[in-house]
Structures are given as C-alpha cells and as structure tokens.
C-alpha cells in the first residue's frame, strides 16, 4: 500500500472519528429522507423525517419482528417495503450461532461501505508494522455458492459477497499470494490444497498469514497434516496432483509449478516430519510478521491453538463486522487478543445503545434477587420509559447492547451483541466485545451465557498444561434427558509435543477439569448443584478432527466456511450426534461444590 494512500486513509479515519456527532446526524438524516415513506417507516412516521420522532415512535426490534417485511422483499414484491434504494443482493448470516440463516438486504452503497473496511484496516496495520509492502499475505479464503430467491436476486454469505466485489478483485487481491480464480472456486478441498501449495512455493514472499475468522485455522492445519506429502511431491516433481480436477484451480497453478524443485521439497519435508508441530507456521513461513484473524467473541477459544502453531506470532483481530452492518476497526492492532477494542466508524450506520448491567451483562438471563433485570429494562425501553444512548454518549466502563439503523432497511435493529466501552478514539468510542445476547446453556431456571462458559473453560485449562494437553476446540449442550439434567462439554484435545491422535487421558486430571469449570460458574449454578437440581458436569473428550466434521455438517446446511463459528452450545440433534459418535472418554465432576 503506497505511503500517500496510507496517509490519506488514516486522515479520513481521524476526520470521521473527530466528527462523530456530525457523521451520525448526517447518516440518520440521509436514511430518513430516503426511506420515511417506505411501508415500514411510514407506519410509524407518516412521512416525517424528524430524528426525535424516529427515536420516539420507531420501535426497537429483533429479526423476528421484521421478518415478514424481509420475506416480502425476498418474494419479489414491489419496492419501498423497507428501503427506496435498489436491492442488489441478500446477505446471509452464518446460521451457526443463532440457528437458521437470516436474510439481510444489501444495496450498492452498503456493499461499498462493507468492502472499504479491509482497506481501512490495511492502512492502520501499515502504520504499526513496517515492510509489509515488500511481500504478500497468504490468506486462506473460500467462497460459497449463491442461492436464487423468488425476487430474482441472489442470496450469499458476506464473505462470498466481499470476495466477489470489485474492491477485492482489483485492489486487495494484489496483496495476496493466491489468484482470484482459486479463491472463488466452490470446491473447498481443492481450493485449500492449491492455496497452501502456492503459499509454500512463495514462502519467502509471505509476510502475514490470515483468514477472516480464527476457526478456519484448525481446519487448515488438519488439512495440511493430511496432505503435506502430496504437496511436497508436487513441489518435487513440478506436477500438480491428479486429484485436483477443477479447472479454476488447475489452470492458475500452471504459473507456479513451472519446474521440479527438489531443493524446496527437501527443506520442507523434515519440518512436516517433526513429531511436534509447535511453531510450524514460522518454520514454514519464516518471514511472517503476524497472524490476521478475528479472535474476539466465540473465536477466542482458538487463541491458544494459533499461538501453539504460530510460535506466538502477534495475532491481529482486525475489524468488528456482522451480516447486518459494519461497526468498527481495531486502531491498536498490536494489542494482545484479550485486550482488543474496536473503534466504531460513525459513517457506517446509525448506532444506538441499550445500557446493560455492567457487572453482569447477562443478568436478565439469571436468577437474581436485587435490582431490575435487563429484560425489565428492555420492557421499559419498548414502553418509552427508558433511555437509549447515542454513540457519542456512551460511558467508559459501561456495557451496552448495540442497536443499528442501516442504509439497507434495518431500523433500530438489535444485533444481539453486548459490548463494553474501553475508551474513545477522538470522539468515537472504542468497544470490547463481551458476548452475544443469548444463552449458551439452560436447565430449569439456570442460564449460563457464552461469556461465563468461556471464562470457566479457560480456568479449567490450567489443569491440562502439566499433562502437555492443548484444548483445540469445545462445544456444549444441556442434557435434559438425565435426571437431574446436566451440562455436557465436548472437548477436543491434542498433545503439545506430538501429532499422534492417541491420547492417554488421566481420570483424575479430567475430573478436576470438570470441577474447575463448575467452580467458575455463577452462584445460581452452584446453588442448583447443591440442591441437586442440576447433575454433575460432564466432559466428553472427542478424537482429533471431530470438530472438522462438525463444521462440515454446518457447511452442508449452508454455512460459509469463512463465516463458520463453532457453536458454543449445540441444539441440533444431528450436530450433537456427530461429536457423540467420536467420543473417546467421558468424565464427571465428583463431590459437592463448596
């Protein structure tokens, strides 16, 4: 990225964040002028465009509240239902965290704003890390098929939309090792093979390694473990493996496998053959400066695994995005993953915030004895008796649920994310992701959030370290068939110093892990355990690669590989059965909780 371009982009970010009030006023005014007479807004505003009327009469909603309007657009009804702007496509949510995918309308302007985020982040990273213009990034990127809708418009995942955008094809693609044809191939195994092969052939050009979500990394490492011999053979012979049959993969590869390269194959093979793959990324790509992947929220479970394979390269969690809107970027990219905050960009959408109990963001989902629950706060809000906070009026240290109004027909839409204000960049706040506003596990009146479960599992990981185990993935479900019901965790483990799939599990260690998890959960859980209303927590260890099969299951149901997030809690019977069929050990918490 040219120095002049970097300076220009950084200047624009400073201007926008310094003028956060004006930018927010401008974008809401623009949205209302365009869309006040749509079927949806006209019902509340009767053609008026006043901001105060908007905040007084337009309700705060969830997807279910507006689904009937979106369905009408999908069915091809005439325009002006939610927006007067032409709809160019529908963006699908991943479908792994909340069940069935949601359809989000997208306009050309909205698409352009989405595509600009990576370029903004590129300028920020160049400011903090020198020399990136001397090489390329090996980004593992995969496209998903489009879906036709009755309206004649396509429905696609955000990742597929971005990879097909002019911005990516003409600008971003210049900075990556893989040709666009291979990235856009719909045959994921063949695309992944070719991307890794090219990355190794061009290993001394690779200055950064990345994907969108961190969950892609374990899948790629497992793939490399299964195919490295074929890759080395292709490099040695200068001939692409016959099983790569897709022409959008084979044809571009002819530019990289020009001749046999036994010298490179001889260098790579001993690295792959090493019993331990700890730090293998820096051994294969010695000039890599950092790992680029989103590791906040549910992706945080992969931080340890990435540190293990990368030799603890810096991890840059670049931006905060969703299917509904773009929110912000990480202006301090070299912060530790646990300290990542995202600076909201006030020109992306109109943002509002529902205050949430900062001591316990999920308090509305808990049994409690004092104060007002968040559910009651939302009820007050919807009855006009509580205050929604504007972007520039949030308070440092306070937690909020984010509400968004977009250029593409979402109005006061509850995204479902809980964020904590950590500071300000100029006049625009910085937020740390806390959790999704949903319950991970629930039995009787106890409800455990994703954040609480993640924290408890991190506490239990301490027991694994002396045994040389690394927790590579986890999920859970509430076993309500047992009497009493219990929480069940699926853990995938590997040995730090070996690639063998054979694990010798120590019962005492695993039982102590169960107990550590329980001791780290909240008062309500412990109370119900003492009362025998919840049974002892169970950990089921699954064989290595089981979570790859889980991902394949969700991808087969329409989830995009790049947007896939390992569900913190499984509620689909078939998904539970996939992991249950690969269990190699079951362990329970013993004794009573203090």
């Amino acid at each position: 990225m040219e120095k002049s371009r970097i300076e220009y982009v950084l200047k624009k970010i400073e201007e926008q964040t310094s003028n956060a009030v004006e930018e927010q006023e401008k974008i809401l005014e623009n949205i209302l002028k365009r869309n006040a007479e749509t079927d949806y807004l006209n019902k509340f505003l009767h053609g008026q465009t006043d901001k105060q009327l908007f905040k007084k009469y337009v309700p705060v909603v969830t997807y279910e509240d507006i689904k009937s309007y979106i369905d009408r657009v999908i069915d091809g009804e005439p325009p002006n239902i939610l927006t007067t702007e032409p709809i160019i496509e529908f963006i699908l949510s991943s479908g792994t965290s909340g069940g069935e995918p949601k359809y989000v309308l997208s306009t050309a302007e909205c698409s352009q704003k989405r595509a600009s985020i990576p370029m903004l982040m590129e300028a920020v990273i160049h400011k903090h890390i020198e020399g990136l213009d001397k090489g390329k990034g090996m980004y593992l990127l995969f496209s998903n098929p489009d879906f036709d809708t009755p309206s004649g418009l396509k429905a696609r995942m955000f990742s597929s939309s971005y990879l097909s955008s002019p911005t990516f094809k003409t600008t971003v693609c210049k900075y990556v090792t893989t040709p666009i044809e291979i990235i856009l191939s719909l045959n994921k195994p063949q695309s992944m093979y070719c991307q890794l092969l090219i990355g190794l052939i061009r290993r001394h050009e690779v200055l950064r390694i990345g994907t969108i979500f961190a969950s892609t990394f374990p899948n790629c490492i497992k793939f490399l473990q299964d195919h490295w011999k074929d890759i080395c053979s292709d490099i040695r012979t200068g001939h692409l493996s016959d099983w790569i049959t897709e022409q959008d993969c084979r044809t571009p590869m002819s530019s990289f496998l020009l001749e046999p390269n036994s010298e490179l194959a001889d260098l790579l093979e001993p690295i792959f053959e090493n019993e331990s793959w700890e730090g293998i990324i820096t051994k294969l790509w010695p000039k890599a400066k950092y790992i680029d992947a989103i590791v906040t929220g549910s992706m945080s479970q992969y931080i340890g695994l990435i540190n293990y394979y990368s030799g603890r390269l810096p991890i840059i969690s670049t931006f905060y995005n969703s299917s509904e809107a773009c929110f912000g970027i990480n202006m301090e990219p070299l912060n530790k993953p646990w300290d990542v905050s995202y600076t909201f960009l006030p020109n992306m959408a109109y943002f509002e915030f529902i205050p949430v109990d900062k001591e316990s963001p999920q308090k509305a989902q808990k049994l409690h004895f004092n104060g007002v629950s968040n559910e009651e706060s939302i009820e007050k809000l919807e009855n006009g008796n509580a205050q929604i906070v504007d972007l520039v009026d949030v308070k440092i240290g306070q937690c909020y649920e984010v509400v968004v109004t977009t250029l593409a027909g979402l109005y006061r839409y509850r995204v479902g994310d809980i964020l904590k204000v950590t500071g300000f960049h100029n006049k625009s706040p910085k937020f740390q992701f806390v959790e999704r506003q949903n319950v991970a596990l629930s039995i009787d009146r106890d409800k455990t959030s994703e954040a609480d479960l993640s924290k408890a599992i991190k506490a239990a990981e301490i027991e694994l370290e002396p045994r040389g185990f690394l927790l590579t993935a986890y999920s859970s479900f509430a076993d309500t068939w047992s009497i009493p019901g219990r929480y069940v965790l699926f853990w995938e483990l590997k040995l730090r110093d070996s690639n063998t799939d054979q694990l010798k599990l120590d019962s005492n260690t695993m039982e102590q892990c169960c107990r550590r998890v329980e001791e780290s959960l909240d008062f309500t859980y412990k109370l119900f355990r003492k009362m025998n209303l919840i049974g002892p927590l169970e950990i089921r260890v699954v064989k290595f690669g089981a979570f790859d099969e889980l991902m394949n299951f969700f991808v087969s149901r329409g989830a995009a590989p790049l947007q896939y997030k390992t569900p913190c809690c499984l509620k689909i019977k078939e998904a539970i059965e996939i992991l249950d069929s690969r269990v190699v050990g079951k362990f329970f918490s013993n004794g009573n909780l203090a």
Side-chain angles (χ1 to χ4, degrees):
M1 196 172 190
E2 301 84 359
K3 184 178 180 180
S4 59
R5 178 64 178 168
I6 294 171
E7 292 174 349
Y8 172 79
V9 172
L10 292 176
K11 182 181 178 181
K12 294 299 290 184
I13 293 172
E14 293 303 307
E15 290 175 354
Q16 290 165 8
T17 54
S18 296
N19 300 316
V21 175
E22 295 83 355
E23 291 287 346
Q24 283 283 276
E25 293 283 348
K26 187 190 305 181
I27 199 165
L28 181 57
E29 180 182 354
N30 191 10
I31 291 171
L32 293 179
K33 281 185 176 179
R34 294 183 190 181
N35 301 314
E37 294 187 358
T38 57
D39 288 3
Y40 182 79
L41 279 185
N42 192 55
K43 183 171 67 171
F44 306 107
L45 299 178
H46 307 293
Q48 298 296 309
T49 60
D50 182 76
K51 174 188 173 182
Q52 296 307 318
L53 293 178
F54 170 80
K55 298 190 76 170
K56 182 176 182 179
Y57 293 116
V58 177
V60 175
V61 297
T62 65
Y63 185 79
E64 291 304 315
D65 296 323
I66 59 171
K67 184 176 182 298
S68 62
Y69 291 90
I70 293 175
D71 287 345
R72 288 170 58 193
V73 181
I74 292 171
D75 289 338
E77 285 194 30
N80 293 355
I81 295 173
L82 286 165
T83 177
T84 60
E85 299 299 303
I87 305 300
I88 61 170
E89 64 184 357
F90 299 97
I91 300 297
L92 295 170
S93 67
S94 64
T96 53
S97 58
E100 293 299 317
K102 300 180 179 70
Y103 288 75
V104 179
L105 281 58
S106 182
T107 65
E109 186 175 4
C110 187
S111 178
Q112 187 176 7
K113 283 183 176 290
R114 289 177 181 278
S116 71
I117 289 285
M119 294 309 297
L120 296 179
M121 198 64 223
E122 184 77 5
V124 173
I125 294 174
H126 273 266
K127 177 185 175 183
H128 289 82
I129 300 177
E130 295 182 356
L132 292 177
D133 56 333
K134 306 298 184 185
K136 293 182 177 290
M138 189 188 78
Y139 281 81
L140 300 164
L141 303 170
F142 309 97
S143 190
N144 249 38
D146 300 332
F147 300 93
D148 292 319
T149 67
S151 67
L153 298 173
K154 299 287 186 181
R156 57 174 66 171
M157 299 294 179
F158 164 70
S159 55
S160 296
S161 177
Y162 170 63
L163 295 176
S164 301
S165 70
T167 301
F168 183 82
K169 290 180 178 179
T170 60
T171 307
V172 181
C173 208
K174 296 177 183 177
Y175 306 115
V176 302
T177 53
T178 306
I180 186 66
E181 297 88 348
I182 294 175
I183 291 173
L184 294 180
S185 172
L186 297 180
N187 189 313
K188 186 190 174 187
Q190 294 190 27
S191 175
M192 186 183 295
Y193 185 90
C194 292
Q195 291 189 51
L196 290 168
L197 176 54
I198 292 172
L200 289 168
I201 292 171
R202 307 179 72 175
R203 63 194 294 264
H204 286 296
E205 297 178 58
V206 174
L207 300 183
R208 42 187 164 169
I209 296 167
T211 184
I212 295 181
F213 289 112
S215 55
T216 302
F217 268 98
N219 187 248
C220 291
I221 291 292
K222 179 65 167 58
F223 188 91
L224 197 55
Q225 289 174 335
D226 293 340
H227 293 89
W228 70 262
K229 290 182 180 178
D230 287 343
I231 289 174
C232 287
S233 175
D234 288 358
I235 293 172
R236 186 178 298 281
T237 63
H239 173 74
L240 185 63
S241 294
D242 291 338
W243 72 276
I244 305 298
T245 57
E246 297 288 339
Q247 286 307 305
D248 49 12
C249 289
R250 286 201 74 89
T251 301
M253 285 304 303
S254 62
S255 301
F256 299 96
L257 286 173
L258 299 174
E259 58 185 14
N261 190 342
S262 58
E263 182 180 353
L264 177 57
D266 288 341
L267 187 151
L268 295 174
E269 283 176 346
I271 297 174
F272 286 122
E273 289 172 344
N274 196 301
E275 181 67 17
S276 171
W277 274 30
E278 186 170 4
I280 194 170
I281 288 176
T282 49
K283 295 172 185 174
L284 295 174
W285 294 281
K287 294 184 179 180
K289 296 175 181 285
Y290 69 92
I291 302 294
D292 184 340
I294 295 172
V295 290
T296 47
S298 61
M299 295 294 108
S300 64
Q301 65 175 285
Y302 299 104
I303 293 172
L305 192 66
I306 292 175
N307 282 335
Y308 172 81
Y309 285 119
S310 74
R312 306 192 75 83
L313 282 174
I315 302 172
I316 296 181
S317 194
T318 48
F319 51 81
Y320 170 36
N321 202 358
S322 76
S323 303
E324 293 84 3
C326 301
F327 298 93
I329 59 177
N330 182 0
M331 293 295 292
E332 291 119 3
L334 294 181
N335 279 358
K336 297 295 183 183
W338 306 112
D339 298 325
V340 168
S341 292
Y342 299 104
T343 297
F344 267 44
L345 299 175
N347 66 320
M348 287 291 159
Y350 182 70
F351 303 111
E352 298 174 277
F353 300 88
I354 302 171
V356 174
D357 188 316
K358 68 180 181 180
E359 297 301 323
S360 178
Q362 63 283 356
K363 195 167 185 176
Q365 301 163 348
K366 301 287 185 184
L367 179 69
H368 59 282
F369 305 98
N370 297 307
V372 178
S373 75
N374 289 334
E375 285 177 341
E376 291 168 20
S377 297
I378 297 300
E379 184 178 348
K380 284 185 177 182
L381 174 71
E382 291 169 346
N383 291 332
N385 298 320
Q387 186 74 36
I388 282 190
V389 181
D390 284 335
L391 178 71
V392 296
D393 295 327
V394 297
K395 305 298 182 184
I396 295 175
Q398 174 69 53
C399 289
Y400 298 89
E401 180 184 355
V402 61
V403 175
V404 66
T405 296
T406 73
L407 292 157
L410 292 179
Y411 306 101
R412 311 196 87 187
Y413 178 89
R414 295 174 63 186
V415 176
D417 292 349
I418 303 297
L419 311 174
K420 182 177 182 179
V421 186
T422 58
F424 281 80
H425 182 85
N426 296 322
K427 293 184 179 179
S428 192
K430 299 186 293 185
F431 289 93
Q432 193 170 68
F433 187 93
V434 176
E435 65 176 334
R436 292 288 295 176
Q437 180 74 311
N438 60 349
V439 176
L441 294 168
S442 176
I443 292 179
D444 197 5
R445 287 168 291 170
D446 181 72
K447 294 173 173 61
T448 297
S449 71
E450 290 185 11
D452 281 354
L453 183 60
S454 175
K455 181 180 177 181
I457 289 174
K458 284 182 176 64
E461 284 185 81
I462 296 172
E463 300 294 330
L464 299 174
E465 292 176 5
R467 296 285 176 177
F469 286 128
L470 183 70
L471 178 62
T472 61
Y474 70 81
S475 192
S476 62
F477 77 98
D479 181 4
T480 56
W481 292 98
S482 300
I483 301 178
R486 63 164 56 91
Y487 294 154
V488 178
L489 308 183
F490 289 109
W491 281 16
E492 183 179 278
L493 304 175
K494 76 175 298 298
L495 288 169
R496 298 187 66 91
D497 299 326
S498 174
N499 282 322
T500 179
D501 293 338
Q502 302 300 316
L503 300 177
K504 293 183 179 179
L505 299 171
D506 177 69
S507 296
N508 290 332
T509 299
M510 296 308 302
E511 288 168 5
Q512 187 61 27
C513 285
C514 294
R515 189 168 183 82
R516 281 267 194 175
V517 172
E518 289 197 306
E519 290 173 345
S520 300
L521 293 176
D522 69 359
F523 171 79
T524 306
Y525 177 86
K526 294 173 186 174
L527 176 64
F528 284 7
R529 275 280 282 119
K530 287 180 182 178
M531 297 169 65
N532 202 33
L533 296 176
I534 295 179
L537 181 135
E538 178 184 359
I539 292 178
R540 298 180 188 177
V541 178
V542 297
K543 66 181 181 180
F544 193 67
F547 277 81
D548 290 341
E549 295 302 317
L550 183 67
M551 184 187 77
N552 292 339
F553 167 73
F554 280 107
V555 169
S556 72
R557 290 167 54 93
L562 275 184
Q563 291 180 224
Y564 173 76
K565 305 170 188 175
T566 301
C568 180
C569 176
L570 297 173
K571 299 177 181 178
I572 301 174
K573 181 181 178 182
E574 295 91 332
I576 295 171
E577 290 173 347
I578 286 170
L579 294 183
D580 226 11
S581 67
R582 291 161 175 80
V583 169
V584 295
K586 297 183 178 182
F587 307 93
F588 296 85
S589 176
N590 287 328
N592 297 319
L593 291 177

